[in-house]
Amino acid sequence: MKNLLVLFTLVLSLAFTTSTNAQKFNDLDRSPMDMATFPTSYKISEKVVRVIYSRPQLKGRSIAQLAPAGEIWRTGANEASEITFYKDVKIAGNDIKAGTYALFTIPGEKEWTIILNSKLNQWGAYTYEKADDVLRVNVNASIAKETLDAFSISFKEEENGVSLVMGWDTTRVTVPVSL
């Protein structure tokens, strides 16, 4: 009888212990965080550049609704995207020191303005200040045949360096980076 009482007490205490210590987790983010690096191979640990960004999805909406032309955009969703250069580079011919920068853009029909900003940990573009810009450069936008529902960033190796390529819907924006 004593063993039955001990077993009953143990089972009862386990039942209450697990329910009172249960952890509540937030739902999954609808714009998941992603990362693009160069070199792109995971086997190469010594990177030149890394971009951390969140991937908004069109889901029947247009780029113009989510990233209006002529307006400052966080270049993704949620926090402003951040780009880290592990060594000095040139972007469209402009010297950029190794470091981490917030990556903003101003979308346009035929060209986009690429902005590197020294203020990190910004949510969206709500606290963006032009005075903190390290670089502003215009690059061409093109139209691709393939449609991308989720905003994406990748790197493409070039003869003199690499290009950071942003794609969303049929829009493609290529930013030359000389190493």
Side-chain angles (χ1 to χ4, degrees):
M1 182 70 166
K2 186 176 178 182
N3 288 340
L4 188 57
L5 184 59
V6 170
L7 181 62
F8 178 73
T9 305
L10 180 62
V11 169
L12 196 57
S13 66
L14 285 174
F16 283 112
T17 302
T18 57
S19 64
T20 59
N21 289 331
Q23 175 65 43
K24 176 151 175 61
F25 291 93
N26 294 331
D27 291 335
L28 292 176
D29 192 334
R30 292 187 179 142
S31 299
M33 189 173 285
D34 201 354
M35 179 173 62
T37 62
F38 182 81
T40 56
S41 172
Y42 68 90
K43 294 179 181 180
I44 301 172
S45 60
E46 193 170 313
K47 302 298 184 190
V48 174
V49 59
R50 175 181 76 181
V51 180
I52 297 175
Y53 67 104
S54 290
R55 302 181 75 197
Q57 298 170 37
L58 291 175
K59 293 187 178 181
R61 302 170 290 182
S62 69
I63 293 177
Q65 291 173 287
L66 301 171
E71 293 183 24
I72 194 83
W73 182 49
R74 65 185 101 185
T75 315
N78 305 328
E79 303 92 335
S81 296
E82 291 186 356
I83 186 166
T84 300
F85 297 100
Y86 295 100
K87 65 181 205 171
D88 295 351
V89 297
K90 287 184 182 281
I91 296 181
N94 298 280
D95 291 328
I96 300 298
K97 297 270 184 210
T100 301
Y101 305 93
L103 174 62
F104 291 98
T105 50
I106 301 174
E109 189 176 319
K110 295 187 179 185
E111 71 177 16
W112 283 35
T113 302
I114 307 302
I115 302 167
L116 298 185
N117 188 275
S118 63
K119 188 176 173 188
L120 300 177
N121 302 314
Q122 297 185 60
W123 180 263
Y126 303 108
T127 60
Y128 165 81
E129 292 187 27
K130 188 175 181 177
D132 295 321
D133 288 355
V134 173
L135 172 77
R136 266 183 178 247
V137 64
N138 292 332
V139 296
N140 291 330
S142 62
I143 302 298
K145 292 178 184 176
E146 179 187 1
T147 299
L148 295 171
D149 190 66
F151 174 72
S152 299
I153 295 177
S154 65
F155 288 96
K156 178 182 173 191
E157 193 162 5
E158 305 283 356
E159 190 173 308
N160 296 330
V162 63
S163 289
L164 180 148
V165 181
M166 295 178 277
W168 205 11
D169 195 10
T170 57
T171 299
R172 301 295 183 271
V173 178
T174 303
V175 183
V177 179
S178 301
L179 309 177

